[in-house]
Each structure stands twice: as structure tokens, then as C-alpha cells.
Amino acid sequence: MAAVCNIAMIGQKLTARAHCNAFLKVPRFFNLPLQPVMYSVVGADLISLAPFADRWGWRKYSTAWKEAIKDPAVNLVDITGPNHLHAEQAVAAISAGKHVACEKPLADSLKNARLMRNAAVRSRTVKSFVWFNYRRVPAVSVALQLIREGRLRKIRHVRASFLQNWGGADAALSWRFQKKYAGSGAHGELNAQLIDLARFLTGSEFIELTGALNETLIVERALPEPPGRNANRIREPKRRTTGKSDVDDTSILIGRMTGGVLARLEASRVAAGHQNDLSIEIDGDGGAIRFDLYDMNALRFYDGQEDRRTAGWRRIVCTAAGKHPYAGAWWSDGQGLGYEHTYVHMAADMFASLGGEQPATPLPDFADAYETQRVLEAAMLAAKHRAAVKLTEIK
Amino acid sequence: MAAVCNIAMIGQKLTARAHCNAFLKVPRFFNLPLQPVMYSVVGADLISLAPFADRWGWRKYSTAWKEAIKDPAVNLVDITGPNHLHAEQAVAAISAGKHVACEKPLADSLKNARLMRNAAVRSRTVKSFVWFNYRRVPAVSVALQLIREGRLRKIRHVRASFLQNWGGADAALSWRFQKKYAGSGAHGELNAQLIDLARFLTGSEFIELTGALNETLIVERALPEPPGRNANRIREPKRRTTGKSDVDDTSILIGRMTGGVLARLEASRVAAGHQNDLSIEIDGDGGAIRFDLYDMNALRFYDGQEDRRTAGWRRIVCTAAGKHPYAGAWWSDGQGLGYEHTYVHMAADMFASLGGEQPATPLPDFADAYETQRVLEAAMLAAKHRAAVKLTEIK
Amino acid sequence: MAAVCNIAMIGQKLTARAHCNAFLKVPRFFNLPLQPVMYSVVGADLISLAPFADRWGWRKYSTAWKEAIKDPAVNLVDITGPNHLHAEQAVAAISAGKHVACEKPLADSLKNARLMRNAAVRSRTVKSFVWFNYRRVPAVSVALQLIREGRLRKIRHVRASFLQNWGGADAALSWRFQKKYAGSGAHGELNAQLIDLARFLTGSEFIELTGALNETLIVERALPEPPGRNANRIREPKRRTTGKSDVDDTSILIGRMTGGVLARLEASRVAAGHQNDLSIEIDGDGGAIRFDLYDMNALRFYDGQEDRRTAGWRRIVCTAAGKHPYAGAWWSDGQGLGYEHTYVHMAADMFASLGGEQPATPLPDFADAYETQRVLEAAMLAAKHRAAVKLTEIK
Amino acid sequence: MAAVCNIAMIGQKLTARAHCNAFLKVPRFFNLPLQPVMYSVVGADLISLAPFADRWGWRKYSTAWKEAIKDPAVNLVDITGPNHLHAEQAVAAISAGKHVACEKPLADSLKNARLMRNAAVRSRTVKSFVWFNYRRVPAVSVALQLIREGRLRKIRHVRASFLQNWGGADAALSWRFQKKYAGSGAHGELNAQLIDLARFLTGSEFIELTGALNETLIVERALPEPPGRNANRIREPKRRTTGKSDVDDTSILIGRMTGGVLARLEASRVAAGHQNDLSIEIDGDGGAIRFDLYDMNALRFYDGQEDRRTAGWRRIVCTAAGKHPYAGAWWSDGQGLGYEHTYVHMAADMFASLGGEQPATPLPDFADAYETQRVLEAAMLAAKHRAAVKLTEIK
């Protein structure tokens, strides 16, 4: 019988729900060396937390994260709340000798990210993970395979964008629009994922942020409805007051990576027509790959070593068991996966790793995510100073 | 506290797994009037059944479907096994006063389908359901809305195809290639779904199958490995023997529906390049809709009432809560669903219906699926006689 | 200095214009063994013919086609007028010893097509050509190459459709809607091209039309404005009268071809959302090709002999000089061609052939087009009798 | 009878051929107030020039551009040669009182561009034109219409890329790789077109180049074969010598435009898989448009003012006469245009303008193209200094 891994999860919002679903499903679809147990959940709002815990089958729930972390039964602390709390919670978990998984971005600031990295690196027993879930789309894993096999030869270009449109003038001033909670806006939330993917897929590291735009396009935003009020009823604009957003709505970067790779990344929350449009393309002397989240079960591949007569971008549907990572755990060939499966795959790899096995795709730890955070910081400085920033300037 | 609905499920293969996942997830994502309980599972192979039941949390398991159906605690019998057993099992369930859900196609023969329809119609207390899961892709539900709102005006064309490529010469002779178990091949398995979608979306019924092709392209097939042998080890062709497939590998239909609609449907298991490629397009005087399973989170819509200067096929990403059916139960806008969610939606609608609520999208019962079976039969006759067959000839 | 080829062209409408453009351009882009000369043009309406001839540089113009054909200087007669005149004009040209090129479909009836075929076959000196221009899209030529090289192995399926939407209830009763001039509707105009492509690409011939739908969906149509009236001014519906259309608006076929190929073809003039949407896919045991006229510079190819891990439909942009047929005559790689280039390619191949050279892609002569006409006839019979028709029944 | 416009064209290479074709076709498809006459052509290589002139019907040819310009019969000088000669030739033409059309980019340097702008501005009688041909794709013209009608409301983002792959390590050292002839590489050749489109479509002007990457990725290149040697025979690498490329292979820009527009532009000659891939997207608060040259007959449009339930990117096929610019001059609806038609449209608009009529789409003159050249210059400076450059710094 497999050993168990008791999870204490912090958070009860949208992302927490994706984690719950992953923990519920992963033992049904994957053969794991460790059995995850949904042990305790921590939230800020006890009234909504109780039914949440009940719905997902958490054994305990509370509003006291410090106590929850210290519980001797807990093996893994899973952090899904606002960015500004990541560092304190993660460091506490590591101090308590717990493995720790943290949502992206690693932290709200480079300083806090460094605290987390240092705590993780110093610990000899604790494993750290960061939920860069898009690494674990099967198509992205296949892209990594092809690149590692040298199918692209020397890489020249990384182009990536993550475009959303929910952050227009109508969007209320949630914590995601406030620097004190979020650290940054589209930049930290979306570019962090592009930077992770760029580093992960190319194996190169950023050396310079040559230029960056980082803009708060919509400053004045309505305050959100107070909790407990019905979000769906007719709005009463008179009673509303507004506040100021101080994070970027869009952030665009250009930079250089080791090995001569040039990178261009772009994130926006005000890109009309794009609900959740992540794409990344990598071009090399021998070919190119492209991934579009809108067609997430497929990888585009251009094999430049084929004769031009028959060379062309091909669409590889990455759902064949035994051929494509993770595919064998699911349905028959051609049956698509969705957003939530990236979390299940992350959970599968995490419990494999905690149980002493190899993950199907390399896992990012705090040290790895810290490198991504340094790039975020460099980009913010480059945008601020309107000049290139070398990564060596960012400790 | 919600009343419970104890489920007895028959089957332990791929489709059964999709049902398990649906039963596990549906109460977490939907607010149901009835709480589904994974009560008992019935399979043919006890050795594999025990871990299957354990993995998915079934309270009981056995190889005796008749007893499982009669268990007084059971409220709903769910049938996922080979087509030739559907009728006996469904009729037994209805006789025992249980609600019954059956996988598509309804039966292996029109005669058996008629027994099931009659049993369901005669019963005053039992509800019957057929798992035509693709009705419940959000994009398909939106298509139904648009058509019902008259956006297409008079419908002229239905074009649908369901193309797969797993049935080439290498595929072994499973039950799906044998008439005595499956009834038919691509026709029953795939065309049944197209016929259901065509009827469901247009609201028209077939009146004539004007022409049909129904072909066994590959007759001689290797026998499958006996159970218990490792499917992955090196094959030993010498010891293999072969058998004959007597079902169609491909089936193509043209016909007429009420209201002047012309239909063209096509199913294949030998369509190179197509893993699981279902598409349906409906053209009317006022516009057209198109759905492609390969882009299952989107609906294509051409609004022909718009000025030609700006008219064009649009891709509607059907993931907005409050705007698109089922979307509100899941993730934020733009986060895609996959194959399994169609089963969760079916389960949600089924338990809503059993609990006295309206399903989000109309549910097919046995009487409805029987009409689809009549069309299947008419097509087989048309193919056999190489001449048109009117539906009035099919009782 | 190259010998000349004096052309007498019959027609002055849209298609004639595409021919003019082809004759004007072909000597500039291709090195031809014969120099085409735009010698004389014949039209019905002298008032519009004079400026037409002037605009395109025809040396002579007249309304007398019989005389124009007999002119001793003429080498090639090019027929672009209504279908019901093709036979008389083509036979006259052949009798006069002229090479003859005729627009598709070959004729308005099988009987007339047979007259043309016989006249061409009997002649020892005359070459005949039919303007099946879509054979000469570079992507289609590449498809032929791949099929001939055996990349698809045994062919199983041909699926093709040609969808247009100009024939709705608003379209006036032009000659294209009248059997006495056109022979048939969508069937002869569009299916003829699909049948030609299916035969051309697979190298198979039809043996049976198993089923067919052939429908006049809109019978009553407004009469067109009399010539000389301004088509753009405000319409006066009161003075309009209507007439009856007696040709099909849509025509759908299923049939068998030699070599075990199953074919499904579909043509419509009332397919909302489709302006001029021709597509053809051919699936074999070893792979598949697909061509979409909406993306006419590309060929889709699925190489089924590649490992499933990296197999996928690829989009080959067929614009590379030295790699793709015709591409070297035009622009740099990646610069697209359009509709008119298919006519230029046809002209280039025709003058190459007349000058004793090999065309880049095989050219259809009257005997070849007659086989296509037989399939058209068989389909009309199958639709009429609502039963299969064997090609052996069609002489 | 229409007045004539005698053209003297400088150049005999690929682009010159596109101009010849445009001059040949434009009077056949458009009704022009002025009749273009292919009067004289000037080239460097007399041996190839004679057959070139003959093929295209130029009345005269010579190697002496100065004399050709001065010829009193000439009305319009058309410049298609290397960038470093544009200024001298254009200024001479203007001095001689001739209208002048010049290929993009305007010049090899800002200084030369300024000379051209000043000469054009000072002249009271001469009209100047720059062949930014992609403005005249019908889909791009429709995009301009929609933007001018306010369908996008406030514009936030411009994203554009022009990716090619012909500039890999195998490409020989033509003039396009040498600064003294070309001025710059991908930047001047491709970004110039993106900058023009960004300015043209948004109506905004650049105010700052915030960051830029400008890289010579492949420095050492083989010298091209000397003229007169057969390019197709087997290469003899031993006798080859190499030279140094000193222009950029790729150039990526981010910047700000008036009205709060953020722009990201990217050009590359080493983007594997992209033969000639130009795309531009513009997002505003009210919607978005996107154009892809690979699908050049269509415009993508997202109408954000539509309800989210049915909002989606639509593909508008821009081939309807009377609805879409230029479409009425060509073929029936749905028949596609290609690369060469952009030149024909430019010629049509140019001769319309010279004849006193309005062009269908605004034409760029030297003053307009000079603004684009300033942006090119600012980007090169920003790349060099690795810091933002304001346009006010560029005179």
C-alpha cells in the first residue's frame, strides 16, 4: 500500500478549486508512489470555507494558516492565495519541514522571492514546487522533447504572448490591480508564465532585458462589491466609489538569452478578442515549434530539415498513449484535454517526485522560479529607466 | 440535505471510466437536487474489477449484473458495455423500476432498440437517458440556441462527418469489429452520433435515406491478444491467427429530412490523419453554424443577415460564465474544457432531471434514440439495396 | 523566333475575361514554344464587344462565330459561352481543322458531349482541351505528385465539396438557372470540377453512382433586368415578373471508383457563408492530402508513415521556385497566387502542348472530359431514380 | 480619349517585374483617367535588358538613367533599384519636373530620405509616391474603413510581424546584406512596411522607440555567383570566397504612438517556417482587427461591442464587388487575389491620383514615407544605445 501525503492547502478561490480538482483526480488517473490526501484547507472567510471544504472532501478547515502549516500530520503545504503572502507562508512551511508548492508568480517582489529561494535551498529535506502548469500541457512537453533532441538546431527566436481582455475599464479594483497585494499586474501574472516557458523550452537564460513597456492604461477603477452582497444583482453606481490601480495592464519585453536567442514577450489584460490566449513560438536554424493554448491538444512543428517541396508546419495532435507525455493516463487518441488537466499533470509529477520517482516533465522549484522572478524584475527596471538592464545587475 | 441517487454501473472499460469521472466530479462543480452515489459496479473480469472499484470509490462490485440491478438500494442503472447486451440489461432495469442510462448507440439492432423504447415508454415511473454526450459540448448547446432563435432561418443543408483512423489493417479483431456484439461498425458507433446531432440541432426528422455506402474495407484481422498477456511485449506473428470482420469500416449517407433539409453524413475508422474528428455544419437561408470537435470550445457562426461588407464566419469561444451553457460551472473565461466534460454535463443534466429540474440542454430518452436507430437501420437497408429507403418503411 | 498561335475566342463575359488575362500574361511569365496572339473575339452584343476587344487588344471582333472559326489565320478556337452552344461550336472548329479549348463542363448534355468527344477523337490533327483550371493550382499539382509517388498508398476515400452561396432566393433567373442553356445547375457547374479533380488525382474512374440528391430548392426566380438597363439603380419590383428555375441548386453524390475508392462529392449554390469554397481530401492507408481553395497557395499533407509522435497534418506553402510546379514563373517564395493564375497555368500548358512540349501537369482533352460528363449523367439518373446507377449503363 | 502617362522605369529585377505586370494589367481592369504607357526602362545589364524590355513591351531601353529621366516625353519616373540610389534618382526626377514613384524603403539613410522629402515638398507640380503595396490589399483597406468608422474605439495595441526565412546561413552575400547598398537589412526592408501599416491604420504617429533589438546573426556569407554563370549547376565550394554581412537579419521594436497606442513590431529573415509571413493586429477598447498576408483575401475582425454570447473573431472574405475596395475590378465573389494585385491596385490609385481623381485608399508620398524612415532611424539608434529614443530627437 502506498504511503500517504497529507496536503494543507491555503486558499479557496478559483485557483484553489483547480488544485482541489487535481488532487481529487490525480490518484484515479495516475499510478502514484504516494497517495495524496486532502487533509486541511485554510481560507479567510469561514462562512464560505465550510461548504467549500465539504464539497471537495477536505478533512479539516480553518482560517489559521500558521497552525495549519505546523500540524505534524501535514506533509505538503500548497499555497494558492495572493502573491504578497507567498513568502511568509512558504518560509514558514519550509521552517516547519514541510514540502511546499506555491502558485505562480513566486512572489510579489524580488526580495520576497529571494527569501523563498534561500529557505528552499538551505533546507536539505524539503522539496519546493511552483505551479507553472503550462509546462505540463502534453504539447508543450513534446516541444521540449523535440528541442532537446536537436530538431530545431541553433535557436534564434522566442516569441510569446499571453493576451487576455478581462481587464478593461469595466473590471473592478480587485487585489490583482493593486501593487501591495499583487506586486505587478499582467507582468507578474502572465509574463511570469511566458518567461518560465521560454527558459524551460530553450534551456537558455536571459542575459539582458533590452527594452520593456509596462503600462497602467486604466488607472481609475470601481471598487468591487463588498463581500456578502450579491454580485449578480443590478449595480448601483451612485453608491460606488473608485480607487486607483497601480499595476500594469500590459507589459511587453524584448531581450537576449544565452546561446544567441532573442526573445520577445508580451502580456496584456486589455487585448480585445483574446480571452486567454497564450502562444509561444521558437525558431531555430533547423526548424520551429509553436504552441497555442487555444488549440492546446496540438503542437505545431516545422521541420526545416525536410526538403522545401514537402516541408510545412504540421499540427501534431498530442493525445496518443505511449507516444505523448500524459496521454496514456486519459482517453482514447484524439479525445482532448482542457485547462484543468495541466494541474492534474503537475500534481502527478509532484507526487511522483515526492515519492522518489522521475516526473514526466522537469518540475520548477523555488530556485528555478527565482530566475524567472529576476527576469520580471529586470523588465520592470528596464521599463522604468527606458534602457537596457543586464541580468547581472539583478541579484 | 439533498436526497441521494445510488448508481449501479455496468462496465469497466474506457467508457465506464469516463462515467466514473463524471459521477466523481459532477457534485463538485454543479449544484444538484440529487446527490449521486457511486454505489455498485458490475464487470466481467473480477480480477481487474476490484482495483477499478477501489480506484473510483464504488462501494460494491460484482460480476452479476442481474443481481446488481435488482438491489433495492439502486436508483439508476448505467449501462456502458457492448451493444448486444444493452436491451436485456435496460429492460431488466426498467422492469425493476430503476431509472436507466445507456451508452450510445441504443442497441445492436432495431428490434432490440424497439424493446428498449417500448419498455421505457410503458413505464410510468422510470426515466431513460442515452449518453449522446456531444449534445452537451457548450458550443453545441449554443448552436441549438441560435437555431431555435431563428438565426439560420430556413435550414437547407446538414453536413456532418466523424472521421477516425484507428481501424486500419493493424487493428485487432475486437468486439467492435464483430456484428454479433456491435451490430455495426463505424455506422452504429459514429453515424449514430451524427444522426442524433443532426436531429437535435435542426429539429427535423429524416424522411428518406436516399443513398448509402456501407463498406467492410478490411475483412481479415488479427485476433486480439488473449487477456492476461502483456499487450506491450514483442508480438509473435507466428502464433497469431486471424478472424473476419463483418462490420462496416466506413458508412456514408445522404438523405432528406422534414422541412426540406438535405443531410450528408459520413463516418470512417480508416480516415488517415483523423484521430477523432467530428464536425457538423448546418446552413440556412439566414446563416450557418459549424462545430468541430477538434476545436471543441468554440462554435463557428456565419450571420448571413449582416451586410456582406463585414459578414464572416466567426469563432465564438464558448467559455463565458452566464453567457454560455455549463461555462459558469468551470473556470475563468477562455480556459478550455475537454472530452470528459461532455460526460460531466450529461450527468449534471441527468441528475437535474431526476431531481425534478430542467436540464440545461434537452436530454435524449429511449424514444428519442429509437428514432436515431431507425435512421441507422434505413441507411443499412439503403446500402444493401443500393436504393432509397423511406423512413415510413422502418417501423 | 517562336511560331505564333492565333486565337479566336467566343464569349465576352466573366470567364472570357479570365481567358483574356491569361493570354495577355502567359508569354510574359512563361517561355513558350508558341507565341499566343489575341486574334479575334466573338460576342453576341456588338455594342459592348467593341470596347472589350479594344481593352484586351484583340485584333478583330465580330458577332459571327461560324465565320470567325473558319478564318484561315486562326489556329485555336477558345469557347467560353453558354454550355448549350459548346458542341456545335467545338465540332465546327474541329471540322475546320482548328485546335479547340472549351470551358467546363464539356457540354449541356451527354449526347452533345459525345459529339464533341467523337469529333476530337476522329481528328488526327486537332488537339482538344477543357479548362479544368483547378488542376493547375500549384498545390493541386503537388498533390498529384505525392499520390503518384505512392505517399498515400492504397486510397480509400475521396471527399470533395464546392460550396457557393450566390444562388439564394434573391438571385435572378440567368441562363445558369435554365436547363435549356446550362444543362444542369450546381451539378454541371461545380460537381463537374470535383469529378474531374477526383479522377485526376486518384487516377481511378467511377464505377457506380450509389446515391445522389439533386434538388431545385428555389423554383420561382425574378427575371433578370433586360440588357441595357442600369443594374445598379433602384429596383422596381412591381414591373418585375418571375420565371421558373429548372436546374439543381445543390447536388450531392456518393459512389464507388476503381481500386476500392469511395467518393463523396457535394455542390451547392445556397450554402450560407461559402462564397467559393472548393475543398478536396483524399485519404489512403499511407497518408492523406487536402486542398482548400480558400487557402489555395497551400497543400495539406498527412504523412501516415511517420511515427505518431510527430505525425500531423502539415501545411505546405507551394510557392518555392524549382520545388513546386509553376512557382518559378512568378514571384519570390511565399508570395501568393490567386484565381487568375490557374488560367495562366492552363494557357501555359496548352501552348506548351501545342508547341510539342510536355505540360507541367496533365491536360484534360475532350475524351477525358467526356468521362467526367458520364459521371454527371449517372448522378442525375441516380438522383432521378433514387437508386444506384452503374457507369456501364452510361454510354 | 484618355491622356497618356509615359513611364520611365529604373530596374529590371524581381520588383521591376511586379511593376511591369501592374502597368500591363491596370488599364484592363480599372477605368483610369490617364492611360499608362510603358515608355522606357533602364537597367544595368544591357544583355538581359533587351529581352526584358521586349517581353514586357517597353518602347525603349537603356543603361543611362539620367538621360531616361530627362526625356521630355516621360511623365512618371518609377524607381525600383537598390536603396542607395533612390535619393539621387528621385531628386533628379523631381528636378526634371517628373512625377516620381519609388520602391520602399524610401532611402538607405535618413539623410537621403530627407533630401527626397525636401525635393518633393518644395516642388509645386510633382507628385511623389512610395510603393507601400500592402496598404492596398483589399482586406487592409477594409481594416482602415472599420477603424475610421470607430469600430475599435480607443486603440491600445499594435502588434505586427514580418517573418521570412530566406536569410539563413546558406543565403549568399547579395546587395541586400550590405549596408552600403541597402542601408539596413530586415529592418529597412520589412519593418519599414510594418511601420507604414501601423501608422496608416491607426492614424497615430510614433513618439518613442522604447527598445529595439537589431542583430546581424550571420556575419560570414558566401559571395554570390558572378553573373553569367549558371546558378543551377553543382556548386564548387573550393573556389568560393566569403564576405561579411553588416546589416541586421532581425529587428524587433517596441514603442509608443500618439493616442496612447503601444506598438510591437518584429522583422526577421531567419524565422524558420515563415516564407513571407506578414501579420498585423490592432486592438482597441471596442474591438480588434487582424490581417495575415498568408490569408490575404480575408480580414479578421472582433466586434467587442457585440454581446459576449455571440462575439467572436470573424473572417471576412474581402472579395465582394461593391462591398470591398478593388474587388469589383476583378472576379466573382470568393475568387482570390494574390501578391501581384497589390501592385496593380497601387498603380490604379497612382494613375487615378495623377489624373485628378481620388485613390480608393490613401497614397503615401515622400513626406509620409519620411515619417516612416524617421521611425526606422530611431529604432536603429535605440538598438545601438540600448535605450529609448524619442522621435523628437530625430529630425
Side-chain angles (χ1 to χ4, degrees), chain B residues 13-68:
Chain B
K13 295 291 176 61
L14 274 182
T15 311
R17 215 158 59 105
H19 289 222
C20 290
N21 180 60
F23 296 145
L24 186 76
K25 286 174 76 172
V26 68
R28 271 84 184 184
F29 288 93
F30 289 84
N31 294 316
L32 303 171
L34 272 187
Q35 211 54 19
V37 173
M38 295 170 81
Y39 181 78
S40 65
V41 60
V42 179
D45 174 31
L46 204 58
I47 290 165
S48 59
L49 186 61
F52 181 92
D54 182 55
R55 173 171 290 237
W56 289 102
W58 292 97
R59 297 188 183 171
K60 299 180 174 188
Y61 62 90
S62 79
T63 59
W65 65 261
K66 292 184 187 178
E67 287 67 27

Side-chain angles (χ1 to χ4, degrees), chain B residues 142 145-146 149 151 301 306-320 323-324 333-334, chain D residues 142 145-146 149 151 301 306-320 323-324 333-334:
Chain B
V142 174
Q145 289 176 356
L146 295 176
E149 291 165 14
R151 301 290 289 265
F301 174 47
E306 188 154 329
D307 187 79
R308 174 75 182 84
R309 186 178 71 120
T310 52
W313 282 94
R314 69 182 81 167
R315 180 178 180 269
I316 306 170
V317 182
C318 296
T319 52
K323 295 294 182 183
H324 302 123
D333 194 1
Chain D
V142 174
Q145 289 176 357
L146 295 176
E149 291 165 14
R151 301 290 288 266
F301 174 46
E306 188 153 329
D307 187 80
R308 174 75 181 85
R309 186 178 71 120
T310 52
W313 282 93
R314 70 182 78 167
R315 179 177 180 271
I316 306 170
V317 182
C318 296
T319 52
K323 295 295 182 182
H324 301 124
D333 194 2

Side-chain angles (χ1 to χ4, degrees), chain B residues 335-379:
Chain B
Q335 299 288 18
L337 303 181
Y339 165 72
E340 65 178 74
H341 299 87
T342 62
Y343 285 91
V344 182
H345 298 166
M346 173 81 186
D349 281 341
M350 202 161 62
F351 295 116
S353 170
L354 290 175
E357 296 180 356
Q358 283 299 311
T361 309
L363 282 160
D365 61 13
F366 284 6
D368 188 348
Y370 178 70
E371 295 308 309
T372 288
Q373 195 92 22
R374 286 176 69 221
V375 183
L376 286 173
E377 181 76 9

Side-chain angles (χ1 to χ4, degrees), chain D residues 349-365:
Chain D
D349 282 340
M350 203 159 64
F351 294 116
S353 172
L354 290 175
E357 297 180 357
Q358 281 297 313
T361 308
L363 283 161
D365 61 12

Side-chain angles (χ1 to χ4, degrees), chain D residues 336-358:
Chain D
L337 304 181
Y339 165 72
E340 65 179 72
H341 300 87
T342 61
Y343 285 91
V344 183
H345 298 168
M346 173 81 186
D349 282 340
M350 203 159 64
F351 294 116
S353 172
L354 290 175
E357 297 180 357
Q358 281 297 313

Side-chain angles (χ1 to χ4, degrees), chain A residues 142 145-146 149 151 301 306-320 323-324 333-334, chain C residues 142 145-146 149 151 301 306-320 323-324 333-334:
Chain A
V142 174
Q145 289 176 358
L146 294 176
E149 291 165 13
R151 301 290 289 266
F301 174 46
E306 187 152 331
D307 186 81
R308 175 72 182 87
R309 187 179 71 121
T310 52
W313 282 94
R314 68 181 80 164
R315 180 178 178 269
I316 306 170
V317 182
C318 296
T319 53
K323 296 293 183 183
H324 301 124
D333 194 2
Chain C
V142 175
Q145 289 176 356
L146 295 176
E149 293 165 13
R151 301 291 289 266
F301 174 46
E306 188 153 328
D307 188 78
R308 175 74 181 86
R309 187 178 71 121
T310 52
W313 282 94
R314 69 182 79 166
R315 180 176 179 271
I316 306 171
V317 182
C318 297
T319 52
K323 296 293 182 183
H324 302 123
D333 195 1

Side-chain angles (χ1 to χ4, degrees), chain C residues 58-378:
Chain C
W58 293 97
R59 297 187 183 171
K60 301 179 174 188
Y61 61 89
S62 79
T63 59
W65 65 260
K66 292 183 188 178
E67 287 67 28
I69 283 175
K70 286 182 198 149
D71 186 330
V74 164
N75 305 106
L76 170 71
V77 174
D78 184 37
I79 301 171
T80 77
N83 304 342
H84 72 303
L85 300 176
H86 288 186
E88 189 182 0
Q89 293 169 343
V91 171
I94 294 169
S95 303
K98 316 296 189 185
H99 301 300
V100 61
C102 183
E103 259 299 331
K104 64 208 167 276
L106 186 58
D108 60 329
S109 69
L110 185 66
K111 187 184 142 207
N112 274 335
R114 198 182 303 124
L115 291 175
M116 296 170 76
R117 195 256 331 239
N118 292 347
V121 168
R122 273 195 298 264
S123 166
R124 313 216 159 214
T125 53
V126 160
K127 290 199 175 189
S128 64
F129 308 98
V130 183
W131 288 86
F132 282 115
N133 56 309
Y134 291 125
R135 285 193 185 193
R136 252 150 274 278
V137 177
V140 173
S141 293
V142 175
L144 182 71
Q145 289 176 356
L146 295 176
I147 291 170
R148 291 193 167 179
E149 293 165 13
R151 301 291 289 266
L152 266 52
R153 292 165 51 184
K154 184 169 175 52
I155 293 176
R156 303 288 189 180
H157 288 293
V158 176
R159 280 176 225 105
S161 56
F162 203 154
L163 306 179
Q164 300 183 335
N165 67 350
W166 61 272
D170 294 342
L173 190 71
S174 72
W175 71 266
R176 291 178 189 276
F177 290 109
Q178 298 177 66
K179 194 169 185 176
K180 62 184 168 185
Y181 303 125
S184 75
H187 186 57
E189 191 188 15
L190 305 178
N191 271 337
Q193 304 190 55
L194 300 182
I195 294 165
D196 179 69
L197 284 176
R199 296 176 53 242
F200 169 71
L201 286 172
T202 63
S204 290
E205 293 291 346
F206 280 82
I207 10 184
E208 180 185 274
L209 268 289
T210 316
L213 283 167
N214 205 277
E215 299 281 314
T216 310
L217 297 170
I218 296 155
V219 174
E220 203 77 22
R221 290 185 181 273
L223 295 180
E225 297 278 332
R229 294 185 56 187
N230 182 348
N232 288 327
R233 93 206 130 90
I234 291 144
R235 299 194 172 164
E236 305 154 53
K238 281 178 209 164
R239 301 182 47 203
R240 271 244 175 121
T241 53
T242 61
K244 289 205 187 303
S245 165
D246 54 1
V247 300
D248 58 285
D249 298 310
T250 184
S251 175
I252 311 173
L253 326 175
I254 53 179
R256 295 166 202 279
M257 301 178 78
T258 51
V261 179
L262 303 178
R264 181 269 290 163
L265 310 182
E266 180 165 8
S268 179
R269 291 168 170 176
V270 294
H274 302 269
Q275 280 85 33
N276 194 52
D277 190 359
L278 182 161
S279 68
I280 183 163
E281 180 176 327
I282 299 178
D283 299 344
D285 286 350
I289 62 94
R290 180 180 175 91
F291 171 72
D292 286 290
L293 184 58
Y294 264 134
D295 189 18
M296 71 179 281
N297 291 287
L299 176 71
R300 259 76 180 178
F301 174 46
Y302 181 86
D303 185 351
Q305 302 182 55
E306 188 153 328
D307 188 78
R308 175 74 181 86
R309 187 178 71 121
T310 52
W313 282 94
R314 69 182 79 166
R315 180 176 179 271
I316 306 171
V317 182
C318 297
T319 52
K323 296 293 182 183
H324 302 123
Y326 310 105
W330 300 103
W331 319 106
S332 50
D333 195 1
Q335 299 289 18
L337 304 181
Y339 164 73
E340 64 177 76
H341 300 88
T342 61
Y343 285 92
V344 183
H345 297 167
M346 173 81 187
D349 282 341
M350 203 159 63
F351 295 117
S353 171
L354 290 175
E357 297 180 355
Q358 282 299 311
T361 308
L363 282 161
D365 61 12
F366 283 7
D368 187 348
Y370 179 69
E371 295 308 309
T372 289
Q373 194 93 21
R374 286 177 68 222
V375 182
L376 286 173
E377 181 76 10

